[in-house]
Amino acid sequence: MSELSFEQMLEGSLKTIRTGEVVEGTVIDVKEDEIILNIGYKADGIITRNEYSNQSGIDLREVVKEGDKMKAKVLKVNDGEGQVLLTYKRLAMEQSNEHIREAFENHTVLKATVTDVLTGGLSVVVEETKVFIPASLVSDTYEKDLSKYAGQEIEFVISEFNPKKRRIIGDRKQLLVAEKKKLQEELFARIHVGDVVEGTVKNLTDFGAFIDLGGADGLLHISEMSWTRKLRHPSQMVRQGDEVEVVILGVDPEKKRISLGMKQIKPNPWELVGEKYPEGTILEGVIKNITEFGMFIGIEDGIDGLIHVSDISWTKKIRHPNELFKVGDTVQAKVLTVDQESEKFTLGIKQLTEDPWTNVPTAYPVGGLVKGIITNITDFGLFVEVEEGIEGLVHVSELSNKKVKTPAELYKEGEEIQAKIIHVSAEDRRLGLSIKQLKDEEERKKPREYSRSGPEAGQSLGDLLKQKFEESEN
């Protein structure tokens, strides 16, 4: 046997390698863009930055240190400079693909950070393998803007695995649907009618709000939001994202429907109004709104009372409440009626004082005489104010024994007259007056006065009667 040279003995002690083989070595030097490994071969192994990671611009000195143990795959036994070219990322990718294949077959849930938000979905990297999650599989609801997922760690399963075609598809929606189903079953098993629960306002519609109860959405109808406010839109009470407390009004496990109420959290204030404000109670409130037919007075939160225009004054003829009041005025009124079922509350201002017509029959008896000022003249007669707020009517037929075309021929507004009371009704608020009957009475008295005082000089009783007859004819 011939003696072997030192080089031959050294070479014999070193292992042999081939392309595609996986080798393990120790890091003996690290530069910004390459790693040098001692792999127990006559030449050192080199891993360039591009063969270490897909991350561009990475400084290898920040991720690898001298003395670290690493495994890599041989790309070339001789790179032309007597060194072995190795790849770390391709080995990692192969290993990653194997892990993903196992996850695909076993339906294992994976977790990774979103590296890119693309037009059609999200891209994540599992170890060194890219996984694409289409927009339709990102969520169980349609999401137009996926930018919120950038940099976010998400869970998903592999729904399609074809590494040869570089088609590896992730599915996040599947997990969300399964989780929601589980939460939904737990929720329906837990809740009962009458329970008070918390939820988040998910979205609003014209007819109500959908509340996320954690597993299922419940409908809060607009009519169940407030006992007292007449809402035109749910946004007057709640906003998207609000945390709210609601009462379970109905549960239908088969149809997966839950109806909710918000106003039921507190007692219906109308149930207490009748006890709190019995008829006859005098209260104060602020005018919130004025209409042609009356004024709405704020009694307490959500409870308004109506003062009808006819209940403002016993005597004044008010065409519109704004003749006397304005919004914001504080007024005192008496409770007239409380209808809890219809949620109506009526008040009166005039009822705070006695109706002046109550005393009219006593103060102005039939047959008595009264003086007053003409306040209005119409074709059918004169309206005469006998005291503040009390008016009597002299019908055109009670003006004179002569035919009168229009009262304006004989009288004018503001003129004071005297008349006889011929009719009184406090209930109908009517006071009938007559000027004609007063004059007739005065005429009947004149012959008696003549007999007591005698005729004027040169006149006989016959002459006097003749004169009066001629006057009546004219």
Side-chain angles (χ1 to χ4, degrees):
M1 181 180 296
S2 61
E3 293 185 4
L4 297 173
S5 66
F6 175 76
E7 288 81 3
Q8 289 174 325
M9 288 188 293
L10 178 63
E11 187 173 336
S13 67
L14 297 175
K15 64 182 179 183
T16 58
I17 60 174
R18 59 183 179 276
T19 301
E21 183 179 345
V22 176
V23 296
E24 185 176 3
T26 302
V27 177
I28 58 176
D29 191 19
V30 182
K31 299 177 182 179
E32 181 182 353
D33 58 355
E34 70 176 15
I35 301 167
I36 301 174
L37 286 177
N38 178 1
I39 58 175
Y41 185 62
K42 62 182 179 180
D44 293 328
I46 302 295
I47 302 175
T48 63
R49 179 158 47 195
N50 289 338
E51 289 300 331
Y52 179 82
S53 174
N54 286 321
Q55 185 178 345
S56 61
I58 186 173
D59 187 344
L60 298 179
R61 294 171 297 184
E62 295 179 358
V63 293
V64 177
K65 292 181 174 55
E66 286 186 28
D68 286 352
K69 296 288 186 182
M70 292 184 66
K71 284 185 178 182
K73 189 174 185 179
V74 178
L75 287 181
K76 289 183 180 180
V77 175
N78 188 338
D79 64 353
E81 296 182 1
Q83 295 175 317
V84 179
L85 184 60
L86 305 174
T87 178
Y88 174 79
K89 74 174 183 182
R90 299 189 197 189
L91 176 60
M93 189 177 295
E94 289 175 3
Q95 293 172 339
S96 172
N97 280 345
E98 181 60 23
H99 294 159
I100 293 175
R101 182 188 65 77
E102 291 175 359
F104 170 66
E105 293 174 353
N106 298 323
H107 304 287
T108 305
V109 177
L110 300 176
K111 185 182 290 186
T113 301
V114 175
T115 56
D116 292 294
V117 177
L118 308 173
T119 303
L122 305 176
S123 178
V124 299
V125 176
V126 179
E127 297 174 7
E128 285 297 323
T129 302
K130 286 187 177 182
V131 177
F132 178 65
I133 304 176
S136 61
L137 299 180
V138 170
S139 177
D140 59 334
T141 57
Y142 172 72
E143 292 190 73
K144 185 177 181 180
D145 184 9
L146 300 178
S147 59
K148 68 177 183 180
Y149 291 102
Q152 185 177 327
E153 189 176 60
I154 61 173
E155 290 185 337
F156 55 94
V157 293
I158 302 299
S159 59
E160 187 176 342
F161 182 73
N162 191 338
K164 290 183 179 180
K165 293 184 177 180
R166 295 185 179 181
R167 183 174 175 82
I168 304 175
I169 304 298
D171 186 345
R172 180 172 178 265
K173 175 181 178 180
Q174 190 179 132
L175 297 181
L176 296 177
V177 171
E179 178 65 17
K180 282 193 175 181
K181 183 179 180 182
K182 178 185 175 184
L183 292 174
Q184 185 182 76
E185 291 173 352
E186 292 174 353
L187 178 68
F188 275 94
R190 184 175 70 248
I191 60 174
H192 303 88
V193 172
D195 287 351
V196 177
V197 296
E198 291 184 349
T200 304
V201 179
K202 191 172 182 180
N203 61 291
L204 303 178
T205 67
D206 289 339
F207 57 83
F210 285 95
I211 312 299
D212 184 356
L213 301 176
D217 295 340
L219 173 61
L220 174 60
H221 195 269
I222 190 171
S223 63
E224 300 297 341
M225 290 184 172
S226 174
W227 289 114
T228 55
R229 293 180 62 184
K230 292 178 173 61
L231 304 174
R232 293 186 296 275
H233 194 272
S235 59
Q236 294 176 268
M237 284 290 291
V238 295
R239 294 177 297 179
Q240 190 172 355
D242 283 355
E243 297 292 329
V244 294
E245 198 173 43
V246 290
V247 176
I248 305 293
L249 300 183
V251 180
D252 188 339
E254 292 184 5
K255 295 182 179 180
K256 305 300 180 187
R257 292 179 181 174
I258 304 172
S259 56
L260 307 171
M262 180 182 285
K263 66 184 183 182
Q264 291 81 1
I265 294 292
K266 296 179 180 179
N268 184 354
W270 279 100
E271 293 177 357
L272 307 175
V273 166
E275 299 176 9
K276 197 172 180 180
Y277 305 104
E279 291 182 14
T281 302
I282 296 174
L283 49 77
E284 278 190 352
V286 177
I287 299 174
K288 296 175 67 175
N289 190 26
I290 297 179
T291 68
E292 187 176 348
F293 59 83
M295 306 182 296
F296 289 94
I297 312 300
I299 307 304
E300 56 183 59
D301 186 27
I303 303 291
D304 294 340
L306 171 64
I307 300 177
H308 193 270
V309 67
S310 63
D311 286 312
I312 293 177
S313 174
W314 289 114
T315 56
K316 291 181 181 178
K317 293 179 180 178
I318 302 170
R319 294 184 180 86
H320 198 289
N322 61 15
E323 296 172 11
L324 301 175
F325 302 97
K326 65 180 183 297
V327 172
D329 285 351
T330 298
V331 296
Q332 195 175 57
K334 180 179 282 191
V335 177
L336 303 182
T337 62
V338 178
D339 188 339
Q340 295 179 7
E341 187 174 343
S342 301
E343 297 186 351
K344 292 181 180 179
F345 197 149
T346 61
L347 308 169
I349 293 177
K350 71 181 185 182
Q351 288 81 2
L352 294 171
T353 59
E354 187 180 11
D355 183 357
W357 277 92
T358 304
N359 299 320
V360 166
T362 304
Y364 303 99
V366 172
L369 302 181
V370 65
K371 286 184 178 181
I373 304 298
I374 298 173
T375 57
N376 191 22
I377 299 176
T378 68
D379 290 340
F380 58 83
L382 309 175
F383 286 95
V384 181
E385 185 178 59
V386 297
E387 65 176 67
E388 186 178 0
I390 302 296
E391 285 186 342
L393 172 66
V394 182
H395 193 268
V396 66
S397 62
E398 295 295 333
L399 290 176
S400 172
N401 287 314
K402 298 178 183 179
K403 186 176 181 180
V404 179
K405 292 183 180 179
T406 174
E409 293 177 354
L410 304 175
Y411 301 96
K412 60 184 178 180
E413 290 185 12
E415 183 179 346
E416 184 181 59
I417 64 165
Q418 188 176 39
K420 183 179 180 179
I421 301 167
I422 59 174
H423 173 72
V424 180
S425 174
E427 184 179 350
D428 296 330
R429 310 176 80 75
R430 291 181 180 177
L431 179 62
L433 306 176
S434 175
I435 296 175
K436 178 179 73 174
Q437 292 187 32
L438 175 60
K439 286 186 176 181
D440 287 346
E441 220 171 71
E442 290 174 348
E443 291 299 323
R444 286 194 295 272
K445 289 179 181 178
K446 284 185 177 180
R448 292 195 295 273
E449 291 173 356
Y450 169 81
S451 63
R452 291 195 295 271
S453 60
E456 295 181 9
Q459 279 188 319
S460 65
L461 178 59
D463 292 335
L464 184 61
L465 292 173
K466 180 180 179 182
Q467 180 182 340
K468 295 298 181 184
F469 176 75
E470 290 174 350
E471 287 177 358
S472 65
E473 286 294 314
N474 296 329

